Amino acid sequence: MLELGHEGYEVHHVADGREGWKVAKSEKWDLILLDIMLPQLNGLEILRRIRQVDSTVPIILLTARDSIPDKVSGLDYGANDYVTKPFSIEELLARIRGLLRQTKIVELKTSPTLHISNLTLDSQTRIVTRDQQSIELTTKEYELLYFLLQNKGTVMSREQILSDVWGYEFIGDTNTVDVYIRYLRQKIDRDFEPKLIHTVRGVGYVLQDSNQ
């Protein structure tokens, strides 16, 4: 990672998973590059543990494996981006800059509490409630709801959702968005009124109070 140092980043490098987990939880990091194939403790387990104690640090997964299940597992565990080896240092640097820039924008513009109708999301505690009932969401469901709340009343295309929520250049169709919208609807809309997630045929989705 000498190239990162040359770009002005202060880098702390460890060679195995157990040491990586120890270092990850010991300080507040601006960004974490995490190799899935680490000895002693694999990267996905480290990612899972990090997300239990820190929901905000940007994490990019590095791996030599290019299978869809690995990508899905990493993103479901809360990774912000995914780079498959071999990769160019220019690509990695661009992704790092993008995530750091996105993090700064969120820090400046985000209100701690987002709400629409009787749905509330507290971004500091990550607690989501609907009609005063607590709702448990997976990491990716939470991030999808968070994005929709930030853009409530605005129709978002599937491509926009993939770019902002999954944080990587998606290879394949946009069915992933449809699947997670369905998961989210089952939790926040199925047993409540008014319905909040609406499909705009041929475009995407919008979060809005259907009674307004």
Side-chain angles (χ1 to χ4, degrees), residues 2 55-56 108 115 132 160 163 170 191 198 209:
L2 291 176
S55 63
T56 61
L108 290 172
H115 63 85
Q132 299 184 338
Q160 286 175 305
S163 176
F170 186 74
D191 299 324
H198 303 275
D209 187 340

Side-chain angles (χ1 to χ4, degrees), residues 13 17 25 30 37 40 58 66 68 76 96 120-122 125 167 173 186 200:
H13 175 262
K25 66 180 180 179
D30 293 326
M37 300 300 291
Q40 299 189 32
D66 194 22
I68 296 301
D76 277 345
I96 289 173
T120 301
L121 180 151
D122 188 321
T125 63
D173 58 34
Q186 290 173 352
V200 180

Side-chain angles (χ1 to χ4, degrees), residues 147-161:
F147 175 74
L148 292 174
L149 276 166
Q150 284 185 306
N151 297 278
K152 62 184 179 181
T154 302
V155 179
M156 308 305 297
S157 70
R158 291 170 176 82
E159 291 76 14
Q160 286 175 305
I161 295 171

Side-chain angles (χ1 to χ4, degrees), residues 105-139:
I105 291 173
V106 169
E107 287 175 353
L108 290 172
K109 294 187 176 180
T110 299
S111 171
T113 302
L114 302 176
H115 63 85
I116 182 172
S117 184
N118 53 2
L119 174 72
T120 301
L121 180 151
D122 188 321
S123 63
Q124 294 182 333
T125 63
R126 293 178 69 89
I127 292 175
V128 175
T129 59
R130 181 88 199 260
D131 201 17
Q132 299 184 338
Q133 296 182 42
S134 180
I135 298 174
E136 292 188 11
L137 301 177
T138 66
T139 297

